[in-house]
Amino acid sequence: TQLLEQSPQFLSIQEGENLTVYCNSSSVFSSLQWYRQEPGEGPVLLVTVVTGGEVKKLKRLTFQFGDARKDSSLHITAAQPGDTGLYLCAGARNSGGSNYKLTFGKGTLLTVNP
Amino acid sequence: NAGVTQTPKFQVLKTGQSMTLQCAQDMNHEYMSWYRQDPGMGLRLIHYSVGAGITDQGEVPNGYNVSRSTTEDFPLRLLSAAPSQTSVYFCASRRQGRTEAFFGQGTRLTVV
């Protein structure tokens, strides 16, 4: 079983601060995704990274895929209360043919205080 | 564009009762799956389907049944509810060969 370890598990910061959350594994993934989940809602995809070393930016969010495709990080610049939520990473591995198995981390619960 | 629709949003069951959680998607996705989300446990895969007529077990299948008679619908059945099945259930779909999953809003189930 491939495990994705996310850290920290909880993070509470003030508006305007920067933060980084991590997603680590001992397994190689075909791609890695980040989702954000707000209370009472389902996870919503933020980004998919595919290539080792890839960096993607989504406004104030920067996502990086490790060179070996085993880990990823999410950096948020100048966090805002609207960034509050549960951030989940998910690694994809080919399970045969064109099928992929997704493994989810347990998430980082981010609270941004005004 | 509705995406993935789950019903009901909330449900309370007594131990031993049965029920079906509904999931429908309008994106013509081949792959559909059911997860449960519990505090500290993350999302755990219950059952999945790669197309109509094909289903398979995930990580935690015991106590749950599924069927996939159409591309659009993927219901999850609890045959005899137990308190351990108290959880938030999410249905997700994605296109064959793609990894991006689209989730429903979830069903919060309480078994008393």
Side-chain angles (χ1 to χ4, degrees):
Chain A
T1 302
Q2 300 83 35
L3 292 177
L4 274 172
E5 301 286 343
Q6 287 192 243
S7 61
Q9 187 176 359
F10 300 98
L11 187 57
S12 181
I13 62 171
Q14 294 300 121
E15 182 176 1
E17 293 184 358
N18 301 332
L19 67 112
T20 303
V21 298
Y22 300 92
C23 177
N24 296 302
S25 176
S26 57
S27 300
V28 176
F29 292 101
S30 303
S31 66
L32 195 137
Q33 300 155 8
W34 285 92
Y35 294 80
R36 180 168 66 207
Q37 183 179 14
E38 298 184 12
E41 302 290 332
V44 175
L45 180 70
L46 295 174
V47 78
T48 300
V49 285
V50 179
T51 306
E54 182 177 5
V55 176
K56 280 192 174 180
K57 292 190 176 183
L58 185 66
K59 296 184 180 178
R60 293 176 293 99
L61 279 60
T62 302
F63 305 85
Q64 184 163 7
F65 201 12
D67 290 342
R69 305 207 321 272
K70 294 182 180 181
D71 52 79
S72 180
S73 63
L74 159 59
H75 181 79
I76 301 179
T77 303
Q80 299 177 359
D83 295 326
T84 293
L86 179 68
Y87 289 81
L88 295 162
C89 66
R93 293 192 72 198
N94 189 276
S95 57
S98 59
N99 295 318
Y100 289 89
K101 177 182 177 182
L102 290 184
T103 301
F104 283 86
K106 294 181 180 180
T108 293
L109 185 60
L110 171 66
T111 303
V112 182
N113 302 298
Chain B
N1 191 358
V4 180
T5 302
Q6 289 184 238
T7 56
K9 194 164 177 63
F10 301 95
Q11 182 71 49
V12 179
L13 288 179
K14 293 182 178 179
T15 298
Q17 285 185 319
S18 63
M19 80 158 296
T20 299
L21 306 185
Q22 301 292 344
C23 176
Q25 54 96 5
D26 62 359
M27 297 173 283
N28 204 32
H29 287 171
E30 296 87 353
Y31 190 100
M32 296 185 74
S33 52
W34 277 101
Y35 294 87
R36 59 177 292 174
Q37 187 175 41
D38 302 289
M41 301 295 290
L43 284 165
R44 292 184 291 170
L45 182 65
I46 304 171
H47 285 287
Y48 66 96
S49 168
V50 299
I54 306 169
T55 63
D56 207 345
Q57 295 181 352
E59 184 183 352
V60 288
N62 292 340
Y64 309 95
N65 279 352
V66 292
S67 60
R68 184 97 180 269
S69 57
T70 66
T71 299
E72 294 78 18
D73 300 300
F74 191 44
L76 178 72
R77 296 184 188 86
L78 284 72
L79 300 178
S80 179
S84 61
Q85 293 179 305
T86 293
S87 186
V88 182
Y89 291 85
F90 288 99
C91 178
S93 74
R94 50 187 163 101
R95 192 167 297 283
Q96 184 87 353
R98 299 298 299 267
T99 59
E100 297 85 0
F102 295 81
F103 286 84
Q105 287 192 313
T107 295
R108 182 174 293 274
L109 176 68
T110 303
V111 183
V112 297

